[in-house]
Amino acid sequence: MNIAERVMATETEVEQVTKGELMEDLRAVVADAEELLKATADQTGERIAAARGKAEESLKAAKVRLDVHDAAVRAKTKAVATCTEDYVRDNPWKALGIAAAAGFILCILARRR
């Protein structure tokens, strides 16, 4: 794997974190909407029934999309982890140098505060 591919992998990791946060937020919205639907189950009326039906359909579709997206994120995460592991196994001294440099930088930043 060359440098450009590694940079793309790093960008993918950042996107995964952002997407992961978005997915968790969306899951919370879905849970809240389900709770709202349960709370209004005893309400009657044509407009409420129509709104409930539409909301239930939207929730089902959102759950399916979340599951598909979750599977894709998991697959990408596994691919990045495998790539990272391969790189470390192929270049142990470079990996050690990178880890030492990162630790040194974190130490400097921690001492400033």
Side-chain angles (χ1 to χ4, degrees), residues 81-97:
T82 302
C83 177
T84 303
E85 184 177 347
D86 291 343
Y87 178 79
V88 171
R89 289 185 189 274
D90 292 343
N91 304 296
W93 290 107
K94 285 183 183 179
L96 185 65

Side-chain angles (χ1 to χ4, degrees), residues 8-85:
M8 291 298 290
T10 304
E11 289 175 357
T12 302
E13 289 175 13
V14 171
E15 288 176 6
Q16 287 175 359
V17 170
T18 304
K19 288 179 183 177
E21 291 172 354
L22 179 61
M23 284 178 51
E24 287 194 23
D25 290 345
L26 188 53
R27 285 185 200 279
V29 169
V30 168
D32 291 344
E34 285 177 334
E35 187 177 326
L36 179 63
L37 285 174
K38 288 177 186 175
T40 60
D42 60 343
Q43 300 292 323
T44 58
E46 192 175 307
R47 293 181 72 194
I48 290 177
R52 283 181 47 79
K54 193 173 183 180
E56 287 174 354
E57 288 178 23
S58 297
L59 283 172
K60 287 178 186 175
K63 284 182 180 180
V64 169
R65 279 186 256 135
L66 275 174
D67 290 341
V68 169
H69 186 70
D70 188 42
V73 168
R74 288 180 192 269
K76 287 180 183 179
T77 302
K78 286 181 182 179
V80 169
T82 302
C83 177
T84 303
E85 184 177 347

